[in-house]
Amino acid sequence: MSATLFFDLDNTLCRPHTPFLAIFLESCAPLLASPLVDTAMLLQAWAEALEAPGHSTTAGCLARALATCGAPAPEQLVASCARSLAAAWAAAQELAPGAESTLASLAERYPLGIITNGPSDSQHAVIVALHLERFFRWRIVSGDATVGIRKPQRGIFDLARAMSASQPEHTWYIGDSPVNDIAGAAGAGWRTCWISTPDARIAAGLPAPDARITRLDELPQVIGQFE
């Protein structure tokens, strides 16, 4: 049976050329101008909002973070800043070296999908900005209204497998996070490929990946060795 391949997005297929902090500060400047908003507190609350269970949008996470800080803002202002943040974050992304040619080659042989954590609008904007939708049959974002489950929870991997009608032993997940990607997919019975720097190590107690690469263009050969 042919393999089915799912990929992580952030830091696997793409990376930002501008730090998120700079983008956040610029996009949310109208909110940060309020004397009620402490920047450090808002950033911490934003991080916590991203981790909250259930479906999510950029505006929803911003509104939740502001409420946590005791500094609610007008809905229209939050929505405007959220649109700016999602658009700027998508525009800041660039494909990892070898990503386009590798995906093009793999898509000729295998069905491909993405599973990524994050607000629905923001992550789909990244996918579109990088023109990745042409390679992937399934694009699953934790914040989607039909998902609402984050990696490393098994449910998001089971959902992906149900959508693709693949068998766990023939389903691969390729990602950079030992916890969210490798442990999460392994817990669902999938094969895993860890993309990392040569000196990186898996922490004790976490499952070892089935394969390891340092560049995406190594992936076709690795997958082929398991067929």
Side-chain angles (χ1 to χ4, degrees):
M1 179 179 291
S2 178
T4 299
L5 279 54
F6 282 89
F7 289 78
D8 171 49
L9 180 60
D10 301 295
N11 298 314
T12 296
L13 294 177
C14 63
R15 298 175 180 85
H17 55 69
T18 302
F20 176 76
L21 177 59
I23 294 173
F24 185 90
L25 293 178
E26 181 175 352
S27 300
C28 298
L31 295 172
L32 297 172
S34 168
L36 298 177
V37 177
D38 178 89
T39 301
M41 287 182 60
L42 183 60
L43 285 166
Q44 178 61 36
W46 163 262
E48 293 171 358
L50 290 179
E51 298 286 338
H55 65 85
S56 65
T57 64
T58 306
C61 289
L62 264 183
R64 178 177 296 184
L66 288 162
T68 298
C69 295
E75 183 177 345
Q76 288 187 339
L77 178 59
V78 173
S80 175
C81 290
R83 286 193 297 270
S84 176
L85 178 57
W89 181 241
Q93 302 300 318
E94 54 190 14
L95 285 173
E100 186 168 12
S101 59
T102 299
L103 291 173
S105 174
L106 290 171
E108 293 179 353
R109 299 184 58 191
Y110 310 104
L112 308 182
I114 285 178
I115 306 173
T116 179
N117 286 344
S120 180
D121 57 323
S122 178
Q123 295 300 79
H124 283 291
V126 170
I127 292 169
V128 170
L130 296 173
H131 307 290
L132 291 175
E133 67 273 22
R134 56 192 162 135
F135 299 122
F136 295 103
R137 301 187 190 184
W138 308 284
R139 300 180 290 275
I140 302 169
V141 179
S142 66
D144 288 348
T146 55
V147 181
I149 312 167
R150 290 178 58 85
K151 300 180 298 179
Q153 295 179 54
R154 175 168 180 161
I156 196 168
F157 294 99
D158 287 344
L159 174 64
R161 189 173 63 80
M163 292 175 65
S164 63
S166 60
Q167 297 302 311
E169 64 271 21
H170 297 295
T171 308
W172 282 84
Y173 194 69
I174 300 95
D176 70 296
S177 169
V179 175
N180 286 345
D181 300 332
I182 305 308
W190 295 19
R191 291 190 180 276
T192 59
C193 180
W194 185 32
I195 182 166
S196 67
T197 57
D199 59 343
R201 297 291 181 268
I202 294 284
L206 293 177
D210 293 290
R212 180 174 178 175
I213 58 177
T214 58
R215 304 187 318 273
L216 281 171
D217 59 12
E218 299 169 353
L219 187 59
Q221 181 178 359
V222 166
I223 301 297
Q225 292 172 351
F226 284 81
E227 293 187 322

